[in-house]
Amino acid sequence: DIQMTQSPSSLSASVGDGVTITCRASQTVSNFLNWYQLKPGKTPNLLIYSASTLQSGVPSRFSGSGSGTDFTLTISSLQPEDFATYYCQQSYSTPITFGQGTKLEIK
Amino acid sequence: QVTLKESGPVLVKPTETLTLTCSVSGFSLNNDKMGVTWIRQPPGKALEWLAHIFSNDEKSYSTSLKSRLSISKDTSKSRVVLTMTNMDPVDTATYYCATSSKYTITTFTWFDPWGQGTLVTVSS
C-alpha cells in the first residue's frame, strides 16, 4: 500500500496568514494527488485534483503543487471559513490511501 | 447533477453485519469508467478508503478490511451496496459514498461529489 504522510498534523494561524501543508507519498504517485477540506457536519469538499488543478468554485487563494512523491497545498491568505481539516489522497493505485489529515485552527 | 445518498442502520451490535446502500442519481452505474467508492471517518480520526466498484463490475478493497467487506451494484435501481461483517466498536464511523472515474486500468480520478454521510455506531 502507498502510505501518505502529511505534515504538520495541526497548525495554528491567523486570518490573513499564508499556510502550507505538505504531503509525502511512500512511492511515486505521479500527479495522481488530490486535496480535500473537511468541516464538522459537512460533506467533504474537493479543493485540488491532479496535484495542481483547482476544482471549479474553489477560491483562488488555494493552490497545489508537486509531483512524484512530494506535494504541497498552500492557502495564500486565510479566511475564517478556511479553518478546517485538510486531507491529501493518492489515486495512483489501489488501495487508494489518504493522509492522516492536517487540522488548521485559529490562533 | 450527480448526487449520492447513503442509507443504513444507525446502530449495529458487535459481531453483526452492516449493510449500507448508496443511492445515486444523475449518472448510470453502467456509465463507462465511472464508479462508486465507500470511505469512512471514525470520530476524531482520518478518512479511510474502503472499497470501490466500477461499471464493468471491477472491485477493489482496503487491504486491512478485505476479508470483511463486499461491494456490489444494482444498476436497475441505481444503488451500490457495501456489507461489512463482524462489526466492532472500532468500526463506529461516518460512512460516505462518492463517485470517481478511471483513467487507466490502475489509475483513478478524485472523489467528487460525495454523499452527506451516515453515522453508524457499533454498540451492544
Side-chain angles (χ1 to χ4, degrees), chain B residues 72-86:
Chain B
S72 63
K73 63 183 175 74
D74 184 334
T75 302
S76 64
K77 294 183 178 178
S78 295
R79 294 177 186 171
V80 171
V81 174
L82 181 77
T83 61
M84 182 181 291
T85 61
N86 195 24

Side-chain angles (χ1 to χ4, degrees), chain B residues 1-54:
Chain B
Q1 181 187 4
V2 173
T3 63
L4 306 94
K5 186 171 184 179
E6 306 87 350
S7 59
V10 174
L11 180 67
V12 297
K13 291 182 167 54
T15 75
E16 288 186 340
T17 293
L18 171 67
T19 300
L20 294 172
T21 300
C22 178
S23 300
V24 309
S25 64
F27 77 101
S28 169
L29 294 174
N30 276 333
N31 188 317
D32 188 35
K33 297 185 180 178
M34 282 196 74
V36 172
T37 293
W38 284 95
I39 296 154
R40 72 178 180 180
Q41 184 179 31
K45 296 191 176 182
L47 294 169
E48 179 182 20
W49 179 84
L50 299 176
H52 69 206
I53 188 167
F54 283 88

Side-chain angles (χ1 to χ4, degrees), chain A residues 24-103:
Chain A
R24 174 164 288 175
S26 60
Q27 62 190 76
T28 185
V29 297
S30 185
N31 70 332
F32 291 90
L33 191 285
N34 312 302
W35 290 96
Y36 302 87
Q37 177 192 66
L38 269 73
K39 296 181 180 179
K42 292 203 168 182
T43 299
N45 185 34
L46 173 68
L47 299 174
I48 303 282
Y49 62 89
S50 300
S52 60
T53 303
L54 193 67
Q55 170 68 341
S56 175
V58 174
S60 59
R61 63 181 178 273
F62 291 90
S63 63
S65 66
S67 67
T69 60
D70 294 307
F71 302 88
T72 60
L73 172 70
T74 299
I75 312 172
S76 60
S77 177
L78 282 167
Q79 298 302 301
E81 61 268 28
D82 299 338
F83 292 94
T85 303
Y86 294 86
Y87 290 89
C88 62
Q89 170 248 327
Q90 65 82 15
S91 55
Y92 183 72
S93 66
T94 55
I96 305 294
T97 44
F98 288 90
Q100 80 277 19
T102 295
K103 187 172 185 178

